[in-house]
């Protein structure tokens, strides 16, 4: 019996460009998922792939600049948020399909704003499902669907392995963008030891005296920089959005870890996104490459799981 592969694409805002790389890697090794379960940006990328819009979506992502992503949105305080994402989604409406008509089983996870319940969207418009799944609370407008107000599925199930199993997946690969969390290292205590001597570009000294003088000079520079770093950290205060990003990362990381203990995937792909701000929409090139690299590194294990 051929094993059915389930691919889980987790939440992560702009870091979700890594999912494009993961899908490209799977395609390169000739593995096609039978089920795709997406949450938030994972639902967006997975949905774009299934309706045939991924190439255009990727091209758009690679052209984005730090603020140009917002040009697709409309600022309007309404429905619990201040950004209306509908213009961006409508730009891809011509590609839209019904989930039940897709060649691959697909589920987008959202959260019911009234009850906190996890909502698995398995019918209707792919674009509408992706929009509901990625409606970040307070930031993006909530989406009305089946008499419910839906928001970002990361509040309920950031990496929906359980939903992939429900749709019949025998082997589940989960691409978790929160497995390696962002670290606000400027708030870390300074390291207790003096760092190694910094590299120097000057030519090698001609004498022992010159070598000693160079060592003293480099060590002094390293110590001074360490004191400056310690002082900066001691005086640092979290910024509003910086704190919000960190809180969202911590929440999603802890929730994903808790759920993975009771609902583990067969293989966890962990792109290293620790230095990636959720709003870094202009870094598609490197995020796509990281997603590709992370999945290709597990190629042998994927092939083993599907052939065992």
């Amino acid at each position: 019996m051929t094993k059915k592969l389930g691919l889980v694409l987790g939440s992560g805002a702009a870091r979700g460009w890594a999912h494009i790389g993961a899908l490209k890697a799977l395609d390169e090794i000739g593995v096609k998922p039978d089920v795709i379960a997406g949450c938030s940006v994972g639902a967006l990328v997975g949905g774009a792939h299934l309706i045939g819009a991924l190439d255009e979506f990727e091209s758009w992502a690679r052209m984005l600049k730090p603020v140009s992503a917002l040009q697709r949105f409309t600022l309007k305080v309404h429905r619990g948020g201040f950004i209306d994402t509908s213009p961006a989604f409508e730009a891809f409406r011509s590609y839209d399909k019904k989930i039940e008509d897709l060649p691959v089983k697909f589920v987008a996870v959202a959260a019911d704003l009234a009850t906190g319940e996890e909502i698995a969207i398995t019918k209707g418009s792919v674009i509408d499902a992706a929009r509901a799944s990625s409606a970040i609370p307070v930031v993006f407008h909530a989406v009305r669907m089946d008499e419910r107000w839906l928001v970002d599925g990361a509040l309920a199930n950031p990496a929906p392995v359980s939903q992939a199993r429900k749709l019949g997946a025998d082997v589940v690969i989960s691409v978790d963008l929160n497995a390696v969390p962002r670290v606000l290292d400027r708030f870390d205590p300074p390291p207790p030891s003096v760092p190694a001597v910094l590299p120097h570009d000057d030519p090698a000294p001609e004498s022992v005296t010159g070598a000693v003088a160079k060592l003293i000079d480099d060590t002094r520079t390293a110590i001074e920089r360490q004191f400056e770093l310690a002082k900066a950290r001691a005086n640092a205060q979290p910024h509003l959005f910086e704190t919000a990003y960190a809180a969202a990362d911590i929440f999603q990381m802890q929730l994903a870890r808790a759920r993975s203990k009771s609902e583990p995937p067969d293989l966890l792909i962990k792109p290293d996104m620790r230095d990636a701000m959720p709003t870094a929409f202009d870094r598609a090139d490197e995020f796509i490459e990281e997603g590709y690299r992370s999945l290709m590194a597990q190629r042998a294990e994927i092939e083993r799981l599907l052939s065992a």
Side-chain angles (χ1 to χ4, degrees):
M1 182 182 74
T2 303
K3 291 183 177 180
K4 291 184 178 180
L5 172 63
L7 177 65
V8 173
L9 302 176
S11 60
R15 291 172 292 197
W17 298 155
H19 290 321
I20 298 175
L23 285 167
K24 292 166 78 74
L26 278 181
D27 185 62
E28 183 174 318
I29 64 179
V31 172
K32 297 186 181 300
D34 300 284
V35 174
I36 293 181
C39 176
S40 196
V41 69
L44 177 59
V45 174
H49 169 67
L50 292 176
I51 63 178
L54 190 61
D55 288 344
E56 181 175 336
F57 185 74
E58 179 184 349
S59 296
W60 174 69
R62 289 184 184 274
M63 291 189 298
L64 290 177
K65 302 303 179 186
V67 296
S68 62
L70 296 177
Q71 294 175 356
R72 291 275 188 156
F73 302 152
T74 300
L75 293 176
K76 182 180 180 182
V77 179
H78 188 53
R79 296 183 176 183
F82 58 87
I83 295 179
D84 180 7
T85 59
S86 57
F89 283 92
E90 288 303 316
F92 294 90
R93 182 64 69 177
S94 62
Y95 290 94
D96 199 14
K97 297 178 182 178
K98 290 185 177 181
I99 295 175
E100 51 267 42
D101 294 336
L102 296 174
V104 171
K105 291 183 179 180
F106 176 66
V107 56
V109 173
D112 186 328
L113 187 58
T115 66
E117 180 184 3
E118 176 182 343
I119 304 297
I121 306 172
T122 56
K123 294 182 181 180
S125 161
V126 171
I127 287 180
D128 290 344
R131 184 182 168 211
S133 180
S134 58
I136 301 173
V138 181
V139 179
F140 296 153
H141 291 183
V143 175
R144 186 71 166 173
M145 186 176 292
D146 295 332
E147 305 304 316
R148 299 173 185 266
W149 284 108
L150 302 182
V151 292
D152 199 318
L155 297 177
N157 197 351
V161 172
S162 58
Q163 295 296 340
R165 302 273 190 207
K166 287 180 182 178
L167 290 181
D170 301 306
V171 174
V172 175
I173 298 172
S174 178
V175 183
D176 187 348
L177 305 179
N178 300 297
V180 182
R182 174 174 168 75
V183 178
L184 297 178
D185 56 4
R186 73 189 188 95
F187 301 112
D188 292 345
S193 59
V194 175
V197 175
L198 298 175
H200 203 289
D201 294 330
D202 291 344
E206 297 180 357
S207 65
V208 173
T209 302
V212 172
K214 178 179 180 297
L215 176 62
I216 293 173
D217 182 61
D218 285 348
T219 301
R220 181 188 299 113
T221 299
I223 293 174
E224 288 175 352
R225 290 187 180 183
Q226 189 59 39
F227 276 123
E228 290 175 1
L229 177 61
K231 182 178 179 181
R233 286 177 174 172
N235 295 329
Q237 296 181 12
H239 300 307
L240 174 62
F241 288 111
E242 187 176 47
T243 302
Y245 298 149
D249 279 354
I250 292 169
F251 172 79
Q252 292 181 66
M253 176 189 68
Q254 297 293 354
L255 180 56
R257 284 180 178 177
R259 295 204 62 148
S260 67
K261 289 181 180 179
S262 59
E263 304 159 353
D266 296 284
L267 178 62
L268 179 62
I269 307 292
K270 301 187 292 184
D272 189 345
M273 313 299 288
R274 75 183 71 202
D275 70 335
M277 293 291 284
T279 54
F281 292 101
D282 59 315
R283 295 174 63 186
D285 290 350
E286 58 187 288
F287 293 175
I288 291 171
E289 178 59 30
E290 175 59 18
Y292 173 87
R293 184 205 64 76
S294 297
L295 192 135
M296 288 299 286
Q298 297 293 333
R299 176 174 182 171
E301 181 62 14
I302 293 171
E303 293 173 341
R304 185 193 70 78
L305 286 169
L306 293 176
S307 62

